[in-house]
Amino acid sequence: MRGYLSVFRLRLSIGLQYRGAALAGICTQFFWGFLIIMVFEAFYSQTLTEPPISLTQLITYVWLQQAFLSFIALWFRDNELFQLITSGNIAYELCRPSDIYSLWYAKLLAQRLSSAILRCIPVISVACFLPQPYRLPLPADLSTLMLFVVTLLLGLLILVSISMLIYISTFVTMSSAGSLLMFGVLGEFLAGMIIPVPLMPSWLQSIVNVLPFRLCADLPFRVYSGHITNIEALTLIPLQLLWLSALVGIGKYTISKALRKIVVQGG
Amino acid sequence: MKLFIKYLLILFKSQMQYRTSFLLLTFGQFFIPFSVFAGLYFLFERFGQLKGWDFYEVALCFGIIHMAFAISECLARGFDSFSILIVNGDFDRLLVRPRSTVLQVLGSKFEFTRFGRLLQSSLVLGWAVGNINVDWTVIKIVTLCLMIASGVFVFTGIFMLAAAMCFWTIQGLEIASIFTDGGREMAQYPLNIYQKWVTRFFTFVIPFGCVNYLPLLYILGRAEGSSTLYMLTPIAGLLFIVPCLLVWRFGVRHYRSTGS
């Protein structure tokens, strides 16, 4: 356990080094946020029927999405891991006395956390002071905030276990670009990154609700904005735990199978 | 021109060496704008209209800008990854050759996998043109082609500006993606749905409005006043490349090698 913790700490401090890149990223995220909100504003301005999510809740959704982008973006990639697999250097990794799944898991988790810490604080603090209607409202009460944090962190764990599956698939395909692209596009759509889940047609929502992707982003954001009530959120947390254990189980099983059949590429 | 086609042939052959990977990437490139378009479709299904614009009108907007983006991403990919050329010092080699640097950078990379994107946007464009409520005349078709060409020039110009920045900063700048990716996302909707400052910036500073929104008013017969003026606005997009070329040449003249 201590070994994984120190890998995690090391990665976290490496990630926190890139402040300049983070600043550029923050500017880009504000631009995107404004753009998306203006489009939704235009759609909402002349609507005749009551939409299933209010504009304020939607704006909250958009800002949280921008602040926690690195918690939800599937296209985030660690080239080091891909290179380990395709170059054959994985042989060294296998010599280490620690479990490879947990080691990589800690590494990926730390990467996402460090990039989110750098970005979420400035994005959220600025978004809280924007002029109306762009302002990010505070959560209704303390328990909502607590539930938001819990669901967000569980969502992060689910997402990392999904992205582990992408890395494991590299053992079979040897070329990461294709599977990463397909996973990324599909997963992001199903997580509500293109359009929020409540605005999707009902047939699509019933598909989305079965899959784990929306538990990473859509669920915590809607808990924060009050679109999902606290009681409902409490019933969904066990579902998150269930998916998490299932995904980690699948990942551990497939990686052990892939490692048994592994052919170390010479070089 | 002959040299450029030769460059293309060589690059095409080299990319076809990894055929499966190539096909998968092309396939994936098809789905990126497809998922965005699906989102657009679902929003229209829910709301019905967007400040007076109907679905096919916005789809036409979407098709034009995405097609222009796909073409210029194919072409100008060399500029997009220009910082690598500078960091490695490979740019010095280009400088000693007796050809223009613009041509050589253009020819240094060509992303054929972007045909997936191109295919998707042409399908959207075809669908929109077929369903939209417009009597097509020759002039309107010419305008449409001009709009796409103008979009290609604007995107290529931005790629060039971003690349020219590397002469001074060495590293590529993430901020440039606001104008390429951000410009594309913004211009896929008619400009008048945004706040005034956004509209102004993207009409007079970076002429996305001239590519898309203003000539579209002409095609739909909504232009007020002289309609030929609206028809000719894409030319402003074509002219956008001129200052970009000048900045590029200024950059080349002031370039100091990194020495690596």
Side-chain angles (χ1 to χ4, degrees), chain A residues 206-223:
Chain A
S206 51
I207 298 174
V208 166
N209 286 340
V210 183
L211 294 168
F213 296 101
R214 74 152 192 133
L215 296 174
C216 312
D218 178 66
L219 172 65
F221 299 165
R222 273 157 73 189
V223 168

Side-chain angles (χ1 to χ4, degrees), chain A residues 219-233:
Chain A
L219 172 65
F221 299 165
R222 273 157 73 189
V223 168
Y224 182 103
S225 69
H227 193 259
I228 288 181
T229 58
N230 289 358
I231 299 158
E232 244 180 301

Side-chain angles (χ1 to χ4, degrees), chain B residues 55-84:
Chain B
F55 172 67
Y56 291 112
E57 290 165 352
V58 177
L60 189 65
C61 229
F62 180 98
I64 288 167
I65 208 76
H66 276 259
M67 184 167 234
F69 183 75
I71 295 173
S72 64
E73 224 195 2
C74 278
L75 278 173
R77 201 64 187 157
F79 283 107
D80 205 19
S81 55
F82 185 68
S83 63
I84 302 171

Side-chain angles (χ1 to χ4, degrees), chain B residues 116-165:
Chain B
R117 253 170 201 272
L118 198 59
L119 181 68
Q120 197 272 345
S121 52
S122 17
L123 287 178
V124 171
L125 197 63
W127 192 34
V129 167
N131 282 296
I132 208 166
N133 199 8
V134 166
D135 338 309
W136 290 98
T137 60
V138 179
I139 305 173
K140 285 187 177 175
I141 292 169
V142 170
T143 314
L144 194 69
C145 298
L146 211 59
M147 284 157 81
I148 294 169
S150 161
V152 174
F153 274 78
V154 172
F155 279 121
T156 310
I158 298 170
F159 279 129
M160 276 178 82
L161 277 185
M165 292 303 283

